[in-house]
Amino acid sequence: MATRQEEYWGRDNFVVITDGTKPAMKWTIDELRKRKKTVHAVDLSEKPDSDSLTDISEIPENTENVIIGVTTTEPARIIEKLAERDITNFWVHWSTDTCDVEHLTYKPELNIITGRCPMMYLGNTMSMHGFHRVIARTMGKY
């Protein structure tokens, strides 16, 4: 049986919000695109990539799933703004989730995954991410 985290990656439409402080966000974008998923990147850094959106207000209307990996902005505020647009599925990169994000996980209308690195689920078996996956499974943290 697939875990909630594994099911998340079976979807087709994603927005990845980064500020450039978490390399796993770039890897996540690349891996999702390799899998032929629709991916929009929002780069909130001071020097955003030229092919990225630069503000969450630019996120397309049909967005369903958002991956957030930011440390210079409170991720809970991003979730709240996007929830106002009826976006309900969020993945907050481990070590970027905050107390405010944890409070939002108790809202039944929101589906928020925290405490996990996306690449632990997306990385191939023969990579550092695959090794991380084996350790996480062994420790019951997958």
Side-chain angles (χ1 to χ4, degrees), residues 14-117:
F14 296 92
V15 167
V16 178
I17 302 175
T18 182
D19 59 11
T21 60
K22 292 292 184 182
M25 295 298 95
K26 170 116 176 65
W27 299 333
T28 298
I29 293 165
D30 293 345
E31 187 60 35
L32 289 169
R33 286 182 176 156
K34 280 184 205 170
R35 295 176 184 209
K36 307 293 187 222
K37 307 290 184 173
T38 300
V39 181
H40 298 280
V42 178
D43 188 341
L44 302 177
S45 70
E46 290 183 19
K47 295 182 181 180
D49 286 341
S50 61
D51 62 342
S52 297
L53 305 173
T54 57
D55 191 279
I56 62 170
S57 65
E58 299 174 63
I59 292 173
E61 289 300 317
N62 65 344
T63 297
E64 298 173 3
N65 309 289
V66 178
I67 301 122
I68 302 172
V70 297
T71 60
T72 60
T73 304
E74 170 57 60
R77 302 298 82 81
I78 294 170
I79 292 170
E80 290 167 342
K81 285 181 183 176
L82 294 178
E84 290 173 3
R85 293 180 44 190
D86 294 325
I87 299 170
T88 59
N89 298 312
F90 299 93
W91 182 298
V92 181
H93 187 283
W94 77 283
S95 78
T96 67
D97 48 344
T98 63
C99 290
D100 285 359
V101 169
E102 288 303 318
H103 288 299
L104 291 176
T105 64
Y106 292 101
K107 291 188 171 225
E109 68 275 16
L110 297 177
N111 175 28
I112 303 173
I113 296 172
T114 62
R116 303 285 191 272
C117 174

